[in-house]
Amino acid sequence: MTHRRLFCPRARREKMDNSIITRCRNQFWFGVFALFVFWYLLLYVYDWSSLREPSLIAEKQANSIKSLHSNSVQLPNIDNEIVGTKHIIGDDRISDVSRDVIPVKDHGERPTSRSSVEKELHPFLGANEAKNGNKSAINKKGRGADKKVVKENGVKQGSALPVVKTRREPKSCLGRYIYVHDLPNRFNDDVIKQCRLLSKWSDMCQYMVNMGFGPDLGNPQRIFLNTGWFTTQQFSLDVIFHNRMKQYECLTNDSSKASAIFVPYYAGLDVARYLWGSNISMRDSASSDLAKWLREKPEWKVMWGRDHFLVAGRITWDFRRGIDEDSGWGNKLMLLPEAKNMTILTIESSPWNSNDFAIPYPTYFHPSSDNEVFQWQNKMRRQRRRILFSFAGAPRPNLDDSIRSQIMEQCLASSRKCRLLECKNDGNKCHKPANVMKMFQSSVFCLQPPGDSFTRRSTFDSILAGCIPVFFTPGSAYVQYLWHLPKDFDKYSVLIPEDEVKEMKVSAMREEVIRLIPKVIYADPRSRLETLEDAFDFTVKGVLERVEALRRDIKEGRNSSTDFDEEQSWKYNLFGTVEKHEWDHFFLRTNRASVWT
């Protein structure tokens, strides 16, 4: 009976009457419930008010920005005047508002001294044997690289980085607006309809699905992730970039607000139809018509095309035919006066010309969320790499200066340390993404010798796999992808010839390669990355920065294109100077004249 007295002390005075005890007990539990509800409401009101305050601030800021846009004063249009060779543009196209520009580390400085390669690199580089007693640290890393734990920026190498859940803050579109020309269908959509003509050897129609990504790849052999992977063709960048541009956050229908103007001409796919067996009039037809179409537009006359840009998803040499004979290669798009005023984005640019800029080849990975990127990066950090070197490619016996055959011979002779994936026309294993990515994911170093031209799609496949690229010329990456790869190339790659790579640096280089993954992939345009910027984002930043610099030069009466000899553009674009440089011998035109003529 004691527990009843605890519920109702009054019962002791009324001789334990059961009805009184029941009533008291009910009152007790009602009081407990009421107290619980009181505290719950108090906490709810507190949390709501704390969350409401920042949202009100954000709403107030958004309303302020909206008000700024709606109440901004439109400057009067000023017709363009031509004074000699100087074009004075209307003040309505020049803004003192600061632009968003891509941060460039050590801009204008030469890269630090190159790192070295240990004894195990020498059989593949043609270098002398290392001195006796110089034990290879890289060989040890090749057998157990992931057992070593290295801290970099406070994060243990090989451990999963924390997933960033905060949404990327929306930026103002001031200085970032892009206007897209509405071209006639013959310059883009009709090219896709003729997809069976885009390649002499394969059906390109299958690669045009999924917004240019190609068929879903799935996850064969559990090599990839379950989503975000596609069988992407390396020459499909025209379509991929256009679809990403359709989702760009700062598009405008008012060209007077635009900081840059995009021309959605599928230049790479267009020229591909006529590269073999067609006369030059067919090859030049669309690009010449495009130039005429652009000249007649009022947007062109504002800066005479210097604020225009387009994507040509092939190497620059497909658009630089120097002779008007059917035996010449490609078309003459980039030699047109109009094209020389524009910014043209290619998968490989010319070291000797200033009107094209290289952006990454498309890879197989097109994520639809930040977490897909983080998941893949962490997978590559944990990957066991049992192969020291690997090479995927074919020999180039028609090129006298090619070192591919030598590399392949030495790789076969060192099969325990080097893995070779030979890309032959018959049963080409390189056409299956699983074969390439599986080998690269298991490799410490991926050899990237030039082929028909300087660059390779394989470079970006190796970065995607966390495999350190080994280059044999700075023309393969360092003077190419200025907006996407670090200027300090020693941080993520090796340039041959080298002497040694210190053991501790291998892990740091791999981590740097893995961190580059977001910069060299094109995200799925059907969604949006929240905290990361992909290759498209960095490209647009680079274009906007370039156009703004040109606009500033025109306003101040300068012509930056005449500030240096165009044949030295690779040095000027990379280092900001045309002084004598150790790489000069790599870019003698005579070294490659037989390939591009």
Side-chain angles (χ1 to χ4, degrees):
M1 305 298 289
T2 304
H3 67 283
R4 295 186 178 180
R5 295 192 184 98
L6 293 175
F7 284 117
C8 189
R10 179 184 168 193
R12 287 177 292 183
R13 300 194 301 269
E14 299 190 23
K15 298 182 179 181
M16 309 302 295
D17 187 274
N18 287 334
S19 63
I20 295 176
I21 292 174
T22 301
R23 186 165 59 253
C24 289
R25 184 169 53 194
N26 291 342
Q27 291 174 353
F28 172 81
W29 286 114
F30 179 81
V32 172
F33 176 76
L35 186 62
F36 172 81
V37 171
F38 171 78
W39 281 107
Y40 178 84
L41 291 176
L42 185 63
L43 290 173
Y44 177 82
V45 171
Y46 176 79
D47 288 344
W48 181 84
S49 63
S50 63
L51 292 173
R52 178 64 175 164
E53 183 177 356
S55 66
L56 286 173
I57 295 174
E59 182 178 355
K60 184 176 180 181
Q61 291 174 341
N63 290 335
S64 299
I65 294 174
K66 184 177 180 181
S67 175
L68 177 64
H69 280 287
S70 61
N71 297 328
S72 59
V73 178
Q74 180 68 38
L75 295 177
N77 290 327
I78 301 176
D79 294 336
N80 297 316
E81 301 177 9
I82 302 178
V83 183
T85 59
K86 297 179 181 178
H87 304 300
I88 304 176
I89 67 173
D91 287 344
D92 59 321
R93 293 301 305 279
I94 301 175
S95 173
D96 291 331
V97 179
S98 60
R99 310 284 183 176
D100 289 321
V101 297
I102 179 173
V104 180
K105 184 178 180 181
D106 298 332
H107 181 69
E109 296 181 4
R110 296 190 180 186
T112 57
S113 59
R114 291 177 289 178
S115 59
S116 53
V117 178
E118 291 287 352
K119 176 183 176 181
E120 299 300 338
L121 265 174
H122 289 281
F124 307 99
L125 316 183
N128 294 329
E129 290 295 330
K131 295 181 180 180
N132 295 332
N134 182 17
K135 302 297 182 181
S136 172
I138 291 184
N139 190 34
K140 297 177 184 178
K141 295 299 294 182
R143 291 194 297 266
D146 293 308
K147 295 180 181 179
K148 191 78 176 177
V149 178
V150 178
K151 282 191 175 181
E152 183 169 329
N153 296 331
V155 179
K156 286 186 177 181
Q157 170 68 20
S159 63
L161 291 179
V163 176
V164 180
K165 296 183 179 180
T166 56
R167 180 180 291 273
R168 187 170 61 189
E169 289 296 326
K171 298 178 181 178
S172 168
C173 285
L174 293 176
R176 300 173 59 227
Y177 281 114
I178 290 180
Y179 175 84
V180 180
H181 271 305
D182 185 15
L183 295 184
N185 288 341
R186 64 164 297 199
F187 295 114
N188 40 50
D189 290 344
D190 289 351
V191 177
I192 300 298
K193 293 178 181 178
Q194 300 177 8
C195 55
R196 297 191 182 279
L197 304 177
L198 297 179
S199 175
K200 183 179 179 180
W201 295 279
S202 62
D203 180 11
M204 285 288 290
C205 295
Q206 61 179 318
Y207 299 113
M208 296 295 104
V209 301
N210 288 320
M211 297 189 169
F213 292 157
D216 289 332
L217 189 53
N219 191 9
Q221 306 178 49
R222 302 183 68 181
I223 296 173
F224 311 113
L225 303 181
N226 292 331
T227 58
W229 290 80
F230 301 83
T231 308
T232 304
Q233 222 277 343
Q234 65 175 339
F235 296 131
S236 58
L237 184 57
D238 301 24
V239 181
I240 292 173
F241 199 94
H242 187 196
N243 284 315
R244 283 287 281 114
M245 181 58 72
K246 291 176 182 178
Q247 303 301 320
Y248 179 58
E249 59 187 350
C250 292
L251 293 179
T252 178
N253 292 325
D254 184 354
S255 62
S256 67
K257 293 181 180 179
S259 295
I261 297 178
F262 179 57
V263 182
Y265 167 44
Y266 294 170
L269 297 180
D270 172 49
V271 73
R273 297 180 293 179
Y274 309 116
L275 284 176
W276 296 272
S278 298
N279 57 47
I280 59 175
S281 62
M282 293 181 66
R283 284 180 254 164
D284 295 339
S285 175
S287 55
S288 298
D289 290 348
L290 175 72
K292 180 180 178 181
W293 187 92
L294 290 172
R295 286 197 308 268
E296 296 173 353
K297 291 295 176 181
E299 292 84 8
W300 182 265
K301 298 173 183 178
V302 175
M303 289 183 65
W304 303 104
R306 288 178 175 84
D307 54 354
H308 285 49
F309 71 103
L310 65 82
V311 173
R314 295 185 68 92
I315 63 175
T316 189
W317 316 111
D318 293 340
F319 310 99
R320 294 186 179 278
R321 191 189 71 246
I323 57 176
D324 285 334
E325 298 178 7
D326 291 344
S327 59
W329 179 258
N331 67 20
K332 54 193 295 185
L333 167 65
M334 293 191 183
L335 302 182
L336 297 176
E338 294 79 8
K340 290 185 176 181
N341 278 2
M342 299 169 62
T343 298
I344 300 182
L345 309 173
T346 60
I347 53 178
E348 175 178 324
S349 63
S350 166
W352 307 295
N353 301 97
S354 59
N355 61 326
D356 59 335
F357 290 80
I359 63 177
Y361 283 73
T363 64
Y364 303 115
F365 187 36
H366 307 285
S368 57
S369 69
D370 293 18
N371 281 340
E372 284 187 11
V373 180
F374 298 141
Q375 185 179 354
W376 179 253
Q377 288 177 307
N378 288 334
K379 178 180 172 68
M380 292 303 96
R381 290 186 178 98
R382 297 189 302 266
Q383 193 73 22
R384 298 189 66 182
R385 301 179 186 272
R386 302 179 181 275
I387 305 170
L388 185 60
F389 303 99
S390 66
F391 172 63
R396 291 292 187 269
N398 57 316
L399 300 179
D400 295 335
D401 59 344
S402 176
I403 60 173
R404 285 194 175 197
S405 296
Q406 181 183 1
I407 288 176
M408 295 173 72
E409 291 174 2
Q410 295 176 354
C411 188
L412 289 172
S414 306
S415 57
R416 294 183 61 184
K417 301 173 183 176
C418 184
R419 186 70 54 83
L420 175 65
L421 186 63
E422 193 166 0
C423 304
K424 296 181 178 179
N425 291 332
D426 298 333
N428 194 333
K429 296 181 179 180
C430 297
H431 286 170
K432 295 183 178 180
N435 294 335
V436 176
M437 294 301 294
K438 183 178 181 180
M439 184 178 73
F440 285 176
Q441 289 176 38
S442 302
S443 304
V444 178
F445 294 99
C446 290
L447 306 178
Q448 304 295 345
D452 296 329
S453 64
F454 283 127
T455 65
R456 308 184 71 210
R457 181 238 179 94
S458 175
T459 294
F460 299 97
D461 290 336
S462 69
I463 291 175
L464 187 59
C467 183
I468 299 168
V470 178
F471 299 117
F472 295 79
T473 168
S476 291
Y478 306 150
V479 305
Q480 298 283 347
Y481 308 101
L482 306 179
W483 302 330
H484 300 82
L485 300 180
K487 283 180 166 41
D488 188 359
F489 60 87
D490 279 346
K491 292 177 63 177
Y492 73 95
S493 67
V494 176
L495 178 63
I496 305 306
E498 300 287 282
D499 295 328
E500 63 179 353
V501 169
K502 295 180 180 179
E503 179 180 1
M504 292 294 291
K505 192 163 185 178
V506 173
S507 295
M509 290 173 71
R510 182 184 303 115
E511 176 61 24
E512 187 67 24
V513 168
I514 292 173
R515 290 180 180 179
L516 288 175
I517 290 175
K519 290 187 176 183
V520 301
I521 57 177
Y522 296 92
D524 193 326
R526 292 165 290 195
S527 57
R528 178 170 292 177
L529 302 184
E530 295 182 353
T531 64
L532 297 175
E533 293 179 308
D534 68 346
F536 172 87
D537 294 318
F538 281 95
T539 299
V540 170
K541 282 185 178 181
V543 169
L544 292 171
E545 180 185 4
R546 170 174 161 77
V547 171
E548 178 59 21
L550 292 172
R551 182 178 287 114
R552 186 168 55 249
D553 287 346
I554 293 174
K555 184 178 180 180
E556 296 175 0
R558 297 196 308 268
N559 188 354
S560 58
S561 63
T562 62
D563 290 345
F564 60 92
D565 182 358
E566 192 176 29
E567 291 200 10
Q568 305 295 322
S569 62
W570 68 268
K571 274 192 289 191
Y572 185 84
N573 290 333
L574 186 60
F575 305 120
T577 179
V578 293
E579 296 177 358
K580 187 176 181 180
H581 194 274
E582 60 179 318
W583 290 349
D584 285 340
H585 69 282
F586 285 108
F587 299 108
L588 295 176
R589 279 186 177 271
T590 54
N591 290 350
R592 292 276 170 178
S594 60
V595 179
W596 301 320
T597 57

